[in-house]
Amino acid sequence: MSRVSVPCHVKGTVALQVGDVRTSQGRPGVLVIDVTFPSVAPFELQEIMFKNYYTAFLSIRVRQHTSPHTPAKWVTCLRDYCLMPDPHSEEGAQEYVSLFKHQSPSMTFPKWLSHPVPCEQPAPLIEGLPDPSRVSSEVQQMWALTEMIRASHTSTRIGRFDVDGCYDLNLLSYT
Amino acid sequence: MLQEESDLSLVIAQIVQKLKGSNLYAQLERQAWASLQRPEIKLESLKEDIKEFFKISGWEKKLQNAVYSELSVFPLPSHPAAPPEHLKEPLVYMRKAQGSWEKRILKSLNSMCTELSIPLARKRPVGEQKELLNKWNEMGTDEPDLSLFRPVYAPKDFLEVLINLRNPNYENGDSLSFRTHLGLIQVPLKVKDIPELKEFFVELGLTTGQLGIDDSTQVPPELFENEHVRIGQKVLAEQDSAAAQQYIRQGSPTALRAELWALILNISSQPEDILYYEQLKTNVIQHDLLVDSLIYKDVKLTASNDDYYFVFEDYLYQVLLCFSRDTSVLGHFAYNSASPPKSYIRGKLGLEEYAVFYPPNGVIPFHGFSMYVAPLCFLYHEPSKLYQIFREMYVRFFFRLHSISSHPSGIVSLCLLFETLLQTYLPQLFYHLREIGAQPLRISFKWMVRAFSGYLATDQLLLLWDRILGYNSLEILAARAYCQLL
């Protein structure tokens, strides 16, 4: 089961503000980022990965078409997921984050995004019951990675600091 | 659940890879082969029998100690997308500040080099090598002319850099509020408050016995001291690093301290270690480094003038000169925000195959650096063991005291912790000191940067360093600095 990154278009942030947007006082604490998927081919979204920059809480909402005849509706997949335990300090401020499908109990994706037909939807949609075959394949992947690392060369240093016995140096470099 | 499993797999893989290159791995392999001779090892149950043998013979404990050591030192694997610099330091502005600071140090060293017309490194002629070898044990008797050398930087220069650290995304605003920080450090790192400190340092509570307090002459030893010593001896007999670390939180009896520290730091003097130290000594004999003069100057200025430590002057040279040649220290830069200075062999500028680090261990000593080694001389008298202990203390703890990072044990966090404690719990003293122009951090900074070496009597200092080892954290230094002002 290979994973590829899905091309997506990330729009600029829009501040949610009450009243006149122009005033510089009253800085909004909530910003919205729109993400659209230009490709029309259906795919199964497994993971969302990003680098944080001082966002404390994250909510994800997805627009879902249930059937071709009813209008699309917005579904909340993740609400107030905490990225920074203390928003006034640096903890988590610039961390790399991954959000997985199984993390959200109601992490459903619109029909046009996921490939299988609704009746074949995997069990992660039901809270607390991950799909056994998916779990075992993920664990197998991890162990394959572990074995690969184990088989690779060790990282001990040999101890030489010179080059062929010579340690006659220029001045120190500024990189 | 799945994320935790894959995190655990990564940690295991990382530790296995690290240990595979160690002496312990080779020893375990040899022991496993040798054990095949033993009657209790049966072919049908080979794996289980060897495991049982390891358990009984104490090798399993050695492996446990090695794993525990790796877990204590190396940070957990981070997100797969995180680049190596993120592991060194996650905040970009701190990385940049550390880079600028390093550039200043390099410029200073380069200008010293050109002004004094002394090369960074020089191969010693054979005569000079012989001479140095002969007086290896008494290098302190040498009185070289060091008047032209000056330390690359002093702690107060470093403090100025920390004071000017700013997070570009943080706006303090002009109006004062309860969040305004009145101290010198202006970056919003997370530091523990007193309830959190109480929980973290729970073994230092009033109801728990402590060496240094409850073993004083007025207190009958049956109440605490005797039992504590007995437990210490048991911990040493078990040779369990984790138990030793837990035990030492209440302080170590003087007689047991050297062994306990070695157990916690997972140092055992194997023949390979002694050979390695001898190799470093050979490197010192063969090449003379500009950094050596800085070390000499530092020892002469600090430790030699100290009533407690001047007797150890020769040991200090034997440790610090070898330390500069030790390329195994380069490994700690993976989790240190600092980076080792780089240079090229003369005439091969820009050619990567002729790129080298300078000094070989990547650490440029500053004014007071030798004071990290001095207290250890009270505990260890065999040079290679003293060397190993110091090296491990440096790559676990001391490097954090002179590099800019957001780590909770980094000097920036310690300064902020100190100032926050003072501002919160002794606001009147804090305000008064500010008013008379004596910002408290300017007084306590030098104590913390040196981990109080040279500022406390040795018995007090060693009890403090017991807790650094016990809690695997330098936060005790900030708490101690705060207590000093109480």
Side-chain angles (χ1 to χ4, degrees):
Chain A
M1 188 177 65
S2 62
R3 286 146 51 110
V4 292
S5 55
V6 179
C8 59
H9 179 58
V10 178
K11 295 188 185 161
T13 55
V14 174
L16 291 187
Q17 254 179 312
V18 174
D20 188 358
V21 172
R22 300 279 175 258
T23 55
S24 58
Q25 293 188 23
R27 303 239 294 264
V30 184
L31 299 171
V32 177
I33 301 174
D34 274 322
V35 180
T36 55
F37 297 93
S39 73
V40 286
F43 61 88
E44 180 96 44
L45 192 63
Q46 301 287 337
E47 180 187 350
I48 299 174
M49 190 174 77
F50 58 92
K51 182 174 193 287
N52 191 15
Y53 192 76
Y54 296 98
T55 297
F57 300 100
L58 182 68
S59 299
I60 300 181
R61 305 191 77 207
V62 172
R63 194 161 76 161
Q64 188 172 24
H65 297 272
T66 41
S67 77
H69 305 292
T70 55
K73 64 178 175 64
W74 285 96
V75 174
T76 303
C77 299
L78 207 60
R79 181 187 289 288
D80 288 340
Y81 179 75
C82 181
L83 297 172
M84 289 172 67
D86 175 8
H88 292 287
S89 78
E90 297 277 6
E91 253 186 308
Q94 298 191 21
E95 284 304 321
Y96 289 82
V97 183
S98 274
L99 299 169
F100 295 93
K101 206 163 80 161
H102 62 83
Q103 269 175 272
S104 162
S106 61
M107 191 82 142
T108 59
F109 287 97
K111 185 173 161 177
W112 59 270
L113 271 187
S114 47
H115 182 61
V117 206
C119 59
E120 282 173 31
Q121 279 286 358
L125 298 179
I126 307 167
E127 190 169 351
L129 278 179
D131 172 37
S133 59
R134 183 143 296 136
V135 169
S136 69
S137 73
E138 300 246 18
V139 174
Q140 268 169 26
Q141 277 187 316
M142 275 319 303
W143 280 111
L145 175 65
T146 312
E147 289 304 318
M148 251 168 60
I149 295 178
R150 230 180 275 184
S152 68
H153 296 297
T154 59
S155 55
T156 29
R157 297 189 178 275
I158 297 173
R160 303 282 307 274
F161 58 81
D162 53 332
V163 178
D164 298 330
C166 176
Y167 197 57
D168 186 25
L169 304 177
N170 274 324
L171 291 179
L172 300 169
S173 311
Y174 315 125
T175 35
Chain B
M1 183 56 116
L2 207 61
Q3 188 58 28
E4 282 157 31
E5 279 173 22
S6 59
D7 281 346
L8 186 60
S9 300
L10 263 174
V11 174
I12 294 172
Q14 183 175 298
I15 293 181
V16 166
Q17 190 185 19
K18 284 226 74 227
L19 289 180
K20 236 179 165 181
S22 68
N23 288 335
L24 181 63
Y25 184 83
Q27 283 173 324
L28 282 170
E29 244 187 344
R30 275 200 297 273
Q31 287 293 321
W33 278 107
S35 75
L36 294 176
Q37 313 280 341
R38 303 176 76 90
E40 64 266 21
I41 310 288
K42 308 258 189 302
L43 201 59
E44 318 75 81
S45 51
L46 190 65
K47 198 169 168 187
E48 295 310 318
D49 290 345
I50 293 186
K51 267 196 198 169
E52 189 59 32
F53 165 67
F54 275 165
K55 201 182 263 186
I56 299 170
S57 56
W59 282 100
E60 189 192 61
K61 180 92 336 162
K62 289 197 172 75
L63 180 60
Q64 270 177 348
N65 288 345
V67 172
Y68 189 68
S69 181
E70 291 298 324
L71 282 172
S72 302
V73 177
F74 274 82
L76 296 174
S78 52
H79 194 278
E85 53 266 22
H86 188 85
L87 196 65
K88 287 161 72 78
E89 170 50 51
L91 302 180
V92 174
Y93 72 89
M94 289 247 175
R95 286 207 297 264
K96 286 205 171 114
Q98 173 65 25
S100 307
W101 171 239
E102 275 170 19
K103 204 164 175 177
R104 267 175 66 179
I105 297 175
L106 297 189
K107 283 198 168 139
S108 175
L109 203 54
N110 276 345
S111 62
M112 199 186 299
C113 205
T114 41
E115 276 167 34
L116 303 179
S117 303
I118 294 176
L120 285 175
R122 170 182 73 91
K123 188 143 187 161
R124 285 188 226 267
V126 174
E128 193 184 322
Q129 289 188 28
K130 276 212 178 91
E131 206 189 310
L132 184 56
L133 190 57
N134 284 338
K135 61 171 171 49
W136 178 258
N137 289 322
E138 30 173 68
M139 285 184 274
T141 54
D142 234 5
E143 292 285 343
D145 179 17
L146 299 168
S147 52
L148 296 169
F149 290 98
R150 53 186 192 280
V152 181
Y153 66 95
K156 61 175 166 53
D157 306 314
F158 189 48
L159 178 58
E160 290 306 317
V161 175
L162 300 186
I163 289 170
N164 289 314
L165 270 178
R166 291 290 182 275
N167 174 352
N169 197 52
Y170 185 66
E171 197 187 279
N172 227 337
D174 295 322
S175 55
L176 291 178
S177 75
F178 71 94
R179 288 216 169 269
T180 308
H181 194 61
L182 297 169
L184 293 173
I185 304 293
Q186 291 294 321
V187 289
L189 297 174
K190 172 89 177 77
V191 291
K192 294 181 170 75
D193 54 17
I194 289 224
E196 285 166 327
L197 286 171
K198 272 192 179 156
E199 202 188 309
F200 184 69
F201 291 118
V202 65
E203 293 85 353
L204 299 180
L206 286 170
T207 49
T208 316
Q210 303 295 331
L211 283 182
I213 300 171
D214 301 303
D215 59 334
S216 67
T217 40
Q218 298 96 358
V219 180
E222 304 86 62
L223 280 180
F224 166 68
E225 192 182 352
N226 287 349
E227 181 62 15
H228 190 64
V229 173
R230 199 187 64 79
I231 297 176
Q233 285 159 338
K234 188 148 181 270
V235 166
L236 280 174
E238 292 290 308
Q239 283 292 293
D240 185 329
S241 288
Q245 189 167 327
Q246 179 64 36
Y247 168 79
I248 213 174
R249 292 178 179 188
Q250 290 170 263
S252 166
T254 311
L256 305 180
R257 182 174 279 123
E259 279 185 73
L260 278 170
W261 283 24
L263 180 56
I264 294 170
L265 297 170
N266 204 34
I267 306 268
S268 59
S269 269
Q270 303 291 317
E272 300 88 45
D273 303 312
I274 300 175
L275 259 169
Y276 189 80
Y277 176 75
E278 291 298 317
Q279 179 63 45
L280 293 176
K281 181 175 160 184
T282 311
N283 291 340
V284 176
I285 305 283
Q286 283 177 348
H287 285 99
D288 176 34
L289 303 181
L290 177 62
V291 170
D292 293 350
S293 302
L294 297 176
I295 291 171
Y296 269 106
K297 181 115 189 176
D298 185 47
V299 172
K300 293 282 184 206
L301 283 177
T302 55
S304 298
N305 285 331
D306 190 299
D307 291 338
Y308 292 111
Y309 302 124
F310 72 91
V311 291
F312 299 125
E313 189 181 342
D314 296 325
Y315 280 116
L316 297 178
Y317 298 123
Q318 290 172 32
V319 167
L320 288 167
L321 294 178
C322 289
F323 182 62
S324 293
R325 272 70 169 176
D326 193 345
T327 52
S328 71
V329 174
L330 292 171
H332 91 288
F333 286 107
Y335 52 86
N336 182 355
S337 60
S339 297
K342 200 171 150 184
S343 180
Y344 296 88
I345 298 293
R346 208 182 287 279
K348 310 282 185 196
L349 194 62
L351 297 174
E352 280 319 302
E353 55 271 29
Y354 292 96
V356 289
F357 293 118
Y358 181 86
N361 73 345
V363 180
I364 296 184
F366 57 92
H367 179 65
F369 193 86
S370 54
M371 294 304 279
Y372 290 143
V373 188
L376 303 173
C377 299
F378 276 107
L379 300 173
Y380 304 97
H381 304 117
E382 206 271 296
S384 75
K385 186 128 195 213
L386 172 63
Y387 176 75
Q388 278 184 280
I389 297 276
F390 164 66
R391 179 180 61 185
E392 193 61 28
M393 289 289 282
Y394 182 81
V395 300
R396 277 200 200 203
F397 304 113
F398 296 145
F399 76 91
R400 297 200 192 278
L401 296 172
H402 65 96
S403 52
I404 304 174
S405 93
S406 59
H407 193 273
S409 274
I411 188 67
V412 188
S413 300
L414 298 183
C415 290
L416 189 59
L417 177 57
F418 165 77
E419 287 191 318
T420 310
L421 283 174
L422 211 57
Q423 188 178 343
T424 314
Y425 298 101
L426 290 177
Q428 285 179 316
L429 174 63
F430 190 85
Y431 186 73
H432 172 72
L433 285 172
R434 274 191 76 215
E435 289 300 290
I436 63 169
Q439 271 274 7
L441 184 59
R442 289 197 191 277
I443 305 170
S444 65
F445 184 72
K446 53 186 183 295
W447 304 338
M448 292 191 287
V449 163
R450 287 221 203 142
F452 282 86
S453 177
Y455 297 108
L456 284 179
T458 314
D459 59 330
Q460 290 292 306
L461 182 76
L462 293 173
L463 285 167
L464 184 65
W465 286 17
D466 283 341
R467 271 66 178 208
I468 293 179
L469 284 163
Y471 291 98
N472 201 28
S473 155
L474 292 164
E475 285 157 302
I476 194 86
L477 297 177
R480 183 68 179 81
Y482 163 73
C483 293
Q484 195 68 25
L485 293 181
L486 277 175

